[in-house]
Amino acid sequence: MARRRTIPSAPAPQSPRRHAFKAAPKRGFSAAVAFADTGVLYAAARTRFLLEKVIGHYGPRLRVCDVVMDEISHRAASTVDASRQLEKNAAADAKRDLERLAVTVEPLTAADATVFDQVLAQLQALAKARSGDGTDGVKGHAGEAASIACCVRLVAAGDGTVLLTNDGDASVVSETRGIPSRHFGHVLNELVCAELIDAEAAFGRFTNAAVVSTPPASSCPRSSTDLGCTKASGICTACDAATS
Ligand SMILES: [Zn+2]
């Protein structure tokens, strides 16, 4: 009997990946220039003195794109309803610390315009695909796009970069440009490896920050164990091999 030929059915349309965050290396990319987005800065600013620790940890490697700085200033000065009051407070605290500690503000330049436009379109397309009707995708994302465009420029000049963001879409788009991204939980893990905070406290800070900004649920640490350092004899190279 002749075998019936079957035509394979078309694959179901895939929803975009929610994020491209990788936990390793837990102790971070020690030589990379780190561009911080609003979410990670607000999350750190939720706990008194924590953003100062983050700024100290990255030192001169930390940059904030001017577009992100404008977003922070705007949020800090905005009139908000009660549901966004904590975010406004975090923005005001972040702005104060970034200015007081003279964190480098990296300007988006005319040379970045092409990459910025491409990245912005990618981010908006991802948001639109997820929302279904496009209502969420048509505006916003300028800060993430500007930060990624700055990273692309620095990489072209030979520098290593990393994007600090809680935005899953930004992590996906950033990965397509060869730029790794780390969210607030990863930043806390770096502080644990650097012995600036212990894992228990770090998990508490992560939980405390969730009211203003948190990464996609599937990438979040589930307990303090996920934020622990596997240091042995003062050396935490084992952390770099950690997966998930
Ligand atoms: Zn470690």
Side-chain angles (χ1 to χ4, degrees), residues 9 51 80 161 219 233 235:
S9 57
L51 181 54
V80 293
T161 61
S219 69
S233 307
I235 301 168

Side-chain angles (χ1 to χ4, degrees), residues 17-22 167-173 175-176 180-181:
R17 274 192 306 157
R18 190 65 192 87
H19 71 84
F21 292 117
K22 294 180 176 67
D167 186 301
D169 288 345
S171 75
V172 170
V173 173
E175 189 189 51
T176 68
S181 48

Side-chain angles (χ1 to χ4, degrees), residues 26-27 189-190 192-194 228-231 235-240:
K26 280 184 150 193
R27 61 176 173 168
N189 212 145
E190 290 185 32
V192 174
C193 283
C229 175
T230 51
K231 203 177 258 109
I235 301 168
C236 80
T237 44
C239 289
D240 295 349

Side-chain angles (χ1 to χ4, degrees), residues 59-154:
R61 296 190 292 121
L62 187 64
R63 310 275 167 89
V64 178
C65 184
D66 59 354
V67 177
V68 172
M69 202 66 200
D70 287 348
E71 286 182 358
I72 295 171
S73 299
H74 184 260
R75 174 58 65 215
S78 60
T79 305
V80 293
D81 61 27
S83 70
R84 303 198 79 175
Q85 186 60 44
L86 291 175
E87 184 187 329
K88 176 184 159 99
N89 296 351
D93 290 347
K95 178 175 158 59
R96 194 193 56 235
D97 279 356
L98 291 168
E99 289 175 349
R100 181 173 62 85
L101 299 167
V103 171
T104 303
V105 177
E106 179 87 21
L108 186 73
T109 68
D112 303 319
T114 304
V115 175
F116 173 79
D117 288 346
Q118 290 169 349
V119 168
L120 187 61
Q122 281 179 281
L123 291 169
Q124 292 180 339
L126 283 176
K128 186 174 176 179
R130 188 165 311 99
S131 70
D133 61 5
T135 49
D136 186 40
V138 292
K139 58 179 182 170
H141 313 293
E144 296 96 323
S147 299
I148 293 171
C150 286
C151 286
V152 169
R153 167 161 43 83
L154 265 67

